[in-house]
Amino acid sequence: MPAGRTAGTVMVLVPGATYNHTYWDFPYQPGTYNFRQAMNDAGYATFVVDRLGTGASSRPPSALVTASLQARAVHQVIQALRDGRIGGTGFRKVILGGHSLGSLISVIEEGTYNDTDAVLITGITHRIVAPAVVDIFTSSFYPAALDPAFAGKGYDPGYLTTRPGTRGTDFYAPATTDPAVLATDEATKDVFSPVEAADGLGVADLLPYSRGIQHPVLLTVGDQDRFFCDSSGNCGSSAALKAQEDPYFGSAACLNTYVQPGAGHDLNLATNTVPYQRAVRDWADAFVGAGPEPVTPPAKACV
């Protein structure tokens, strides 16, 4: 919760594949890299989720962990936060935020239930760079049970993580990587089920769940994201990204876009992440607001 303030809005934050809550609540140099803290400082309450199978959440058989199941679990969290069943405080407004696989889960959740006031989508677009996705699955991911960090902890063979030493190439851009951040990332990495990844890419990114979103959306990427940015310049500017993504969203989504120059897939963990945090805060202030009162009409136009 924000220190010394009453928040009327909570951000529910869903991490991506091989991450848990620490992606949003990063322990190293939190004044720079901790997104949760930055949003609290801006007046927003936050609830950082461990996806099913990760962190402190339960660990179902990996074959049962689909993106749709994850979306249903997030929906239950949102309802509990609105009703005051978590921490005793009910929130009038909810912003759902996701990263990468967490964004795909968020698109499914909002496209199905439309139970939030705005959606933050980070680290995905509707254009997939297929060779990069194939490469990470074939060269970086392997069974978590074979990794020293997870060996002997009861993960079934379907849960995957990244091979040691691969996260820098996959998730970062060289110019905006702090080696200490990368080391912390490796030390706190988690797992995912390939079933949820395939379900998320197939259902949320390629089929029209995003068209069903009825609340404002901010979609953000780093321009060096190897999985979603290509040589066409689709991530060359916020305007170029918006032109690409507009057809996938209805007018009610009031799509806004933001491209962080020099950042890779993990926007939160780039050395220049602060302008991205500021862009999210400004968008949230304009469309939702941190306090209990509604923001009507939005201060920021749908452009």
Side-chain angles (χ1 to χ4, degrees), residues 103-105 107-108 124-130 133 197-211 227-228 244-245 247-249:
S103 286
L104 297 173
I105 291 166
V107 169
I108 295 173
I124 66 163
T125 75
H126 283 82
R127 178 179 294 179
I128 301 170
V129 181
V133 174
D199 183 34
L201 286 170
V203 173
D205 210 39
L206 301 179
L207 293 178
Y209 272 76
S210 57
R211 292 284 299 178
F227 304 113
F228 297 100
Q244 173 187 288
E245 293 297 308
Y248 298 98
F249 294 89

Side-chain angles (χ1 to χ4, degrees), residues 7-10 81-82 89-94 115 117 291-294:
T9 301
V10 61
L81 286 165
R82 285 196 183 275
T89 299
F91 291 95
R92 179 174 178 178
K93 297 176 289 186
V94 177
D115 58 352
D117 297 273
E293 68 285 347

Side-chain angles (χ1 to χ4, degrees), residues 154-173:
Y155 288 91
D156 71 54
Y159 280 109
L160 304 182
T161 191
T162 50
R163 297 178 187 275
T166 61
R167 298 177 80 81
T169 299
D170 290 330
F171 300 142
Y172 294 80

Side-chain angles (χ1 to χ4, degrees), residues 264-300:
H265 185 61
D266 284 355
L267 283 79
N268 282 8
L269 306 182
T271 55
N272 64 344
T273 191
V274 171
Y276 150 70
Q277 296 171 357
R278 188 179 305 118
V280 173
R281 181 200 65 202
D282 290 348
W283 165 80
D285 287 349
F287 284 103
V288 182
E293 68 285 347
V295 176
T296 307
K300 190 172 184 179

